[in-house]
Amino acid sequence: MHSIRLISSGIALVFCLAAGTQAADTPYRVPVAGDGIQRVAIVGGSYFFKPDHLVVKAGTPVELVLRAEPGIVPHRFVLDLPPDQVAIDAQLGEAPRVFRFTPGTAGRYPYYCPNKLLFFDSHRDKGMAGMLEVVE
Ligand SMILES: [Cu+2]
């Protein structure tokens, strides 16, 4: 009984830490390239995304070039967008993968790695999370 109580208080602490990491990072304003695309490379690793706070313009195509740092831990990239837009859920590998979409609605949309091992915190909870901020 005693050990169960210790475990549950540890979980509560982790939830608090994860909530505190949401918006602490310097935003990176993605430039519009000569071909009119907002292009940015994102690297994922244990347990981070770089960059982890992107600012893009609505109505202009975005190209994400996603890859993972070398390592044995498998990672994914999930981007939540409103239901009428393309969302991304992709395995990350060392070879870059390209995803294009045009954000239509201003807002803040999380991206993260949902992978986890049984009984452990998800990679998202460990800090493998970022935010796509869409502005008008
Ligand atoms: Cu991961």
Side-chain angles (χ1 to χ4, degrees), residues 45 47 73-76 113-115 123 128:
Y47 295 92
V73 180
H75 293 299
R76 258 158 74 201
C113 175
N115 287 3
H123 296 183
M128 199 168 177

Side-chain angles (χ1 to χ4, degrees), residues 82-95:
D84 59 330
Q85 295 179 47
V86 176
I88 299 170
D89 183 348
Q91 296 287 338
L92 291 181
E94 290 181 44

